[in-house]
Amino acid sequence: MALSRRDFVAGGAGLMAGAAFGFRPGPAFAQVVLGDIRLDVVSDGSLTLPGGFIFDPMPQDELAPIIERFDLSGDVLTPPCNVTLMRSGDRVVLFDVGSGPDFAPNAGTLLTSLEALDVTPEDVTDVVFTHAHPDHLWGLLDDFDDPLFSNASYMIGQTEWDYWMDPDTVDTIGDARASFAVGAQRRLEMIQDSIAFFKDGEEILPGVAARATFGHTPGHMAFEVRSGSNAVMILGDCIGNHHVAFARPDWRSGSDQDQDLAAQTRVALLDQLAAEQMQVIGYHLPQGAGYVEKGSDGYTFTGQI
């Protein structure tokens, strides 16, 4: 999938541009340093999705020029999966844990990426979930169905936990996502004795505040990591791609569980991020990190300011 010139791309030019505003080359896609907080964006591989998974609810005649502009296939999309690793003091924090081996054949590479940074599963002190979709949660358990991050404490939004642990969810989520509900409940049950819950606006760790970004899932959370006047927003999937989610955030997307609410969330968040020029880390954004710019015809994702 070719990317537009303004995207934060791999390679020497992209890395040099990234270094100019706080991203540094290395084993991770990008590194953001905020005071004593270091954030590394590492890969869990990628997904292969039918284009209709995102595009089906959209007006197809208006969608076509966006697909052409970003040189996308309307049939198959291959979004990256980017996990955020935060190190601050004695804390080693993962925001989401990737797919593990059971969801997608070209995903589940998180442990290899962490090894390149000399981080082992036993080093992780905290795991924070944006939401409980498979590509964010199913890497939780090892081959023996024990928690892989054996020394970690876990955190998830209260609304998200309540939704996935509701026994009725498997029957109401729809056939296409029923396996998501079964898989989420099985994994979350394994950590229910060591998980804490939070709500919108709470500081869940020093310098890390939860931001409600509901819609993609009923309790989806983003996280604002701040040191003084500098901040970065870990988006999860509330802004789920670098193309149509920016060009037409008001459109309903097939990837969202509550499509209308998710669109409202995207528009409001993009407005904030563009106005504040806050760095963003997105789970499915190319190279993981960049900025939001607002133009006369929508928004763009860029690694340049």
Side-chain angles (χ1 to χ4, degrees):
M1 178 173 64
L3 304 176
S4 68
R5 178 181 60 85
R6 295 176 60 80
D7 290 325
F8 185 67
V9 295
L15 291 172
M16 288 176 65
F21 59 90
F23 302 146
R24 301 176 184 175
F29 277 153
Q31 183 185 105
V32 183
V33 178
L34 302 173
D36 295 331
I37 299 172
R38 171 176 163 180
L39 299 166
D40 287 292
V41 184
V42 299
S43 178
D44 189 53
S46 62
L47 303 178
T48 301
L49 303 173
F53 180 72
I54 292 176
F55 297 145
D56 275 356
M58 299 176 180
Q60 299 301 301
D61 56 339
E62 296 178 66
L63 173 64
I66 297 174
I67 289 177
E68 182 178 3
R69 186 198 322 167
F70 288 93
D71 195 17
L72 304 171
S73 165
D75 298 322
V76 178
L77 298 173
T78 56
C81 297
N82 306 309
V83 174
T84 302
L85 170 71
M86 183 180 90
R87 286 174 279 188
S88 179
D90 59 357
R91 289 189 182 274
V92 179
V93 184
L94 284 177
F95 293 87
D96 297 328
V97 294
S99 297
D102 299 327
F103 181 61
N106 44 338
T109 64
L110 175 60
L111 295 186
T112 300
S113 299
L114 292 177
E115 183 180 3
L117 295 175
D118 295 323
V119 175
T120 70
E122 293 76 20
D123 294 331
V124 176
T125 60
D126 304 270
V127 172
V128 182
F129 295 108
T130 61
H131 64 298
H133 275 167
D135 53 325
H136 298 253
L137 174 69
W138 284 19
L140 179 65
L141 304 179
D142 65 17
D143 293 339
F144 301 97
D145 271 358
D146 293 320
L148 177 62
F149 305 96
S150 55
N151 296 322
S153 299
Y154 301 89
M155 285 176 274
I156 194 170
Q158 183 73 63
T159 302
E160 188 75 355
W161 172 271
D162 291 346
Y163 174 76
W164 293 104
M165 296 304 285
D166 184 340
D168 292 334
T169 294
V170 68
D171 297 318
T172 58
I173 196 173
D175 291 344
R177 287 184 167 95
S179 64
F180 292 13
V182 173
Q185 189 169 113
R186 182 173 77 83
R187 288 164 175 82
L188 292 173
E189 284 175 344
M190 298 298 294
I191 57 171
Q192 61 185 341
D193 293 333
S194 56
I195 195 162
F197 309 109
F198 54 82
K199 296 181 180 179
D200 180 39
E202 292 184 9
E203 186 177 45
I204 62 169
L205 293 167
V208 181
R211 301 292 183 224
T213 45
F214 298 168
H216 182 69
T217 62
H220 187 288
M221 288 283 186
F223 301 96
E224 182 177 325
V225 183
R226 179 171 293 276
S227 177
S229 61
N230 297 316
V232 61
M233 189 75 76
I234 299 172
L235 298 170
D237 282 3
C238 59
I239 302 174
N241 59 69
H242 70 290
H243 38 84
V244 68
F246 282 79
R248 290 304 304 262
D250 56 316
W251 283 355
R252 301 168 81 234
S253 171
S255 64
D256 298 323
Q257 290 184 221
D258 185 331
Q259 296 177 7
D260 291 330
L261 178 58
Q264 294 171 24
T265 294
R266 270 193 303 277
V267 171
L269 186 58
L270 285 167
D271 268 340
Q272 174 197 346
L273 295 169
E276 297 181 9
Q277 273 294 283
M278 187 185 300
Q279 298 179 69
V280 299
I281 295 175
Y283 201 83
H284 298 301
L285 299 182
Q287 298 305 311
Y291 285 88
V292 177
E293 292 185 354
K294 186 174 184 178
S296 59
D297 58 348
Y299 302 84
T300 56
F301 171 69
T302 178
Q304 301 175 12
I305 58 174

